[in-house]
Amino acid sequence: MFSNIGEEAIAATQSEETRTAFIQKNESFILGVASKFSKHFITKSDDEWSIALIAFSNAMDTYDADKGNFQSYARLLIEHRLTDYFRTQARYQNEIHTEPYVFEGNVDEESENAAYQANVIRTASTTDENPLRDEILALNVLLQDFDISFMDLTSCSPKAGKTKKACYEAIVYMKDHPNLVTAMEVSGQIPSKNIMENTNVPRKILERHRKYIITAVEILCKDFPLLSEYIKI
């Protein structure tokens, strides 16, 4: 039916059912890329899996034939997201530099930062603590009241620059007016009339990108520091 995996990826974005099926079909690829880049075996209980999954879904939404082979493009996005994640995990006081070998479980005993490196290893190897996964699970609980799941964020994200700008304007306006956020959480709907009267965002965009706007507002207005880094406003 499809001449290549790229066409299959594009077609799979037409519904949540086809998206889920395509992702499940490519789970081994996603885990393989994440494991190779992270330099240790990754399972679905790890933060890296959640990050790689989001990146893969985003690759489906943003891919076109001009970007070459789909798997190469998806691998690039996964590696970029994981790079950002590792940088976030490596932050420490005045941004002490962490060598790559630290994430492989090795400590340079001669380094003045040996104690810090050891702490990074302990944190990275603690399987019971997955802060990003915990944030996603907590967010999903909040989104249930809006009949939204976290994965909707990638499938309903705005693509065009003009649309992105309009969505961000609505998100920022709501973030700056907590009473509107409260009203949204009570009603389960975006306060479209108020937003349209005080911004240049048209109703069509508010309706079409409702799930994205609600999710982004919840992330930015609640305690989701890791997820907030994926919402650029």
Side-chain angles (χ1 to χ4, degrees):
M1 180 178 179
F2 301 105
S3 62
N4 57 59
I5 191 173
E7 292 181 0
E8 185 178 358
I10 294 173
T13 63
Q14 299 306 307
S15 72
E16 287 304 310
E17 290 74 18
T18 55
R19 178 186 295 275
T20 299
F22 184 77
I23 289 175
Q24 291 176 340
K25 180 180 178 180
N26 287 276
E27 281 183 357
S28 295
F29 168 78
I30 299 171
L31 286 168
V33 172
S35 296
K36 183 176 181 180
F37 186 79
S38 303
K39 295 184 172 62
H40 65 90
F41 183 70
I42 299 299
T43 70
K44 290 184 180 180
S45 65
D46 296 319
D47 287 350
E48 292 89 339
W49 159 253
S50 299
I51 295 166
L53 182 63
I54 294 170
F56 184 85
S57 185
N58 182 245
M60 293 170 63
D61 292 320
T62 58
Y63 174 78
D64 59 51
D66 293 334
K67 293 176 179 176
N69 177 270
F70 172 77
Q71 287 189 325
S72 296
Y73 176 66
R75 180 181 292 105
L76 182 64
L77 264 60
I78 292 173
E79 291 178 350
H80 280 176
R81 285 290 181 89
L82 287 174
T83 296
D84 290 340
Y85 170 71
F86 289 138
R87 285 173 178 167
T88 299
Q89 293 296 92
R91 287 175 185 165
Y92 177 75
Q93 292 182 352
N94 295 323
E95 300 293 336
I96 297 176
H97 179 62
T98 305
E99 297 296 340
Y101 55 72
V102 172
F103 293 106
E104 298 176 23
N106 302 312
V107 175
D108 180 6
E109 300 294 345
E110 302 297 324
S111 171
E112 61 181 3
N113 297 324
Y116 165 63
Q117 294 174 12
N119 182 63
V120 170
I121 291 173
R122 284 195 298 272
T123 301
S125 62
T126 304
T127 56
D128 291 337
E129 296 182 4
N130 291 289
L132 182 61
R133 182 189 63 188
D134 292 343
E135 285 192 15
I136 292 174
L137 292 175
L139 176 63
N140 265 325
V141 173
L142 292 179
L143 294 179
Q144 287 177 0
D145 292 336
F146 302 99
D147 193 27
I148 302 173
S149 70
F150 176 74
M151 288 307 297
D152 290 334
L153 183 60
T154 58
S155 62
C156 64
S157 298
K159 307 299 187 299
K162 185 176 181 180
T163 304
K164 288 181 180 179
K165 183 178 180 180
C167 285
Y168 295 161
E169 185 176 354
I171 293 167
V172 171
Y173 179 74
M174 290 192 64
K175 183 174 180 291
D176 291 341
H177 295 80
N179 60 310
L180 295 183
V181 178
T182 299
M184 179 188 76
E185 293 173 340
V186 171
S187 67
Q189 299 297 326
I190 295 175
S192 300
K193 182 177 180 181
N194 192 304
I195 294 175
M196 289 188 295
E197 290 176 348
N198 293 278
T199 70
N200 296 315
V201 183
R203 180 181 295 276
K204 183 178 180 180
I205 287 180
L206 293 175
E207 293 176 347
R208 181 173 299 175
H209 297 285
R210 167 186 170 273
K211 291 183 177 180
Y212 175 80
I213 294 172
I214 289 176
T215 303
V217 168
E218 288 294 282
I219 288 174
L220 294 174
C221 293
K222 299 297 190 295
D223 187 22
F224 298 109
L226 295 178
L227 289 175
S228 292
E229 295 189 7
Y230 292 94
I231 307 296
K232 306 300 182 182
I233 60 174

